[in-house]
Amino acid sequence: MNSKKLIAVTGGIGSGKSVAVNVLSVAGYNTLSCDDITTDLYEKRKVKLLLKKLFPSAVKGFFNPVIDRKEISKIVFNDAEKLKILTDAITPLVLNEVFARAKKLSGKIFVEVPLLFECNYQDSFDGVIVITRPLNARIESVMARSNLTEEQVVGRIKSQVDYENIDLTPYHVIENTGDLEQLKNNVLSLAKEI
């Protein structure tokens, strides 16, 4: 019997999914983060050269290429086609790394996957937790965290699945409408149930 369970944790930008995965990690669960894995991949020469080919203005140098992540964000969040090019190039590499790392773990493994629905990876997991949060709270949170304007945050939200109007009934949903303690309790009680 295989007791391993791979569970995606997703939600829109600013919903609280990173906080939820951190709560699970502190509680002793195995966790992985697509954002952390992306950061690791961006250190690999092969990925740097791929990004240089796709976004020449955002990667400086050849022998020791340096990626300007802010420049990449500026490019892709102002151009839906370029965002799709980046997503199509990087997401499969990230998910392959997630599955490779998960092979070395056992039990319940919670994986923060920001673009789960956008890239249609929901069926690659044994379960999905969706963190939802009111739109205004998401916008305020991301503005404060990432030092972005409201317009920039709204642009990023528009590039994601519309969590207000997507059918979430097949998934476990946690509404992040209270304080941190309430989110923590909800996440931990759901983790035990799954």
Side-chain angles (χ1 to χ4, degrees), residues 6-10 109-113 116 125-130:
L6 201 55
I7 299 144
V9 180
T10 196
I109 305 154
F110 295 91
V111 187
E112 182 185 355
V113 189
L116 184 78
F125 292 84
D126 300 308
V128 174
I129 297 172
V130 182

Side-chain angles (χ1 to χ4, degrees), residues 3 34 69:
S3 62
C34 284
R69 290 185 75 154

Side-chain angles (χ1 to χ4, degrees), residues 16-61:
K17 58 190 175 299
S18 299
V19 173
V21 170
N22 188 48
V23 163
L24 292 163
S25 179
V26 169
Y29 288 100
N30 285 315
T31 61
L32 295 167
S33 160
C34 284
D35 286 345
D36 291 347
I37 288 171
T38 301
T39 299
D40 293 348
L41 287 174
Y42 275 24
E43 292 303 311
K44 294 186 184 295
R45 181 170 171 76
K46 192 172 86 173
V47 174
K48 289 178 180 182
L49 294 177
L50 169 66
L51 289 172
K52 186 173 179 71
K53 195 170 138 187
L54 298 174
F55 309 104
S57 67
V59 183
K60 305 287 182 237

Side-chain angles (χ1 to χ4, degrees), residues 30-128:
N30 285 315
T31 61
L32 295 167
S33 160
C34 284
D35 286 345
D36 291 347
I37 288 171
T38 301
T39 299
D40 293 348
L41 287 174
Y42 275 24
E43 292 303 311
K44 294 186 184 295
R45 181 170 171 76
K46 192 172 86 173
V47 174
K48 289 178 180 182
L49 294 177
L50 169 66
L51 289 172
K52 186 173 179 71
K53 195 170 138 187
L54 298 174
F55 309 104
S57 67
V59 183
K60 305 287 182 237
F62 179 77
F63 293 108
N64 188 17
V66 176
I67 297 170
D68 182 343
R69 290 185 75 154
K70 280 187 177 166
E71 179 65 17
I72 288 182
S73 293
K74 202 164 82 180
I75 293 167
V76 301
F77 288 114
N78 288 313
D79 185 329
E81 202 175 301
K82 288 199 167 86
L83 179 60
K84 184 175 177 357
I85 289 168
L86 177 67
T87 302
D88 290 350
I90 297 298
T91 304
L93 302 177
V94 173
L95 268 295
N96 286 344
E97 184 64 22
V98 163
F99 299 133
R101 291 184 189 190
K103 271 185 185 163
K104 299 172 187 163
L105 302 169
S106 59
K108 294 175 189 173
I109 305 154
F110 295 91
V111 187
E112 182 185 355
V113 189
L115 299 177
L116 184 78
F117 298 121
E118 291 82 351
C119 296
N120 208 21
Y121 275 101
Q122 59 271 28
D123 296 335
S124 302
F125 292 84
D126 300 308
V128 174

Side-chain angles (χ1 to χ4, degrees), residues 162-180:
D162 180 0
Y163 283 91
E164 314 270 319
N165 294 302
I166 185 177
D167 177 17
L168 297 175
T169 50
Y171 312 110
H172 304 279
V173 177
I174 293 176
E175 292 182 17
N176 181 9
T177 54
D179 60 13
L180 185 58

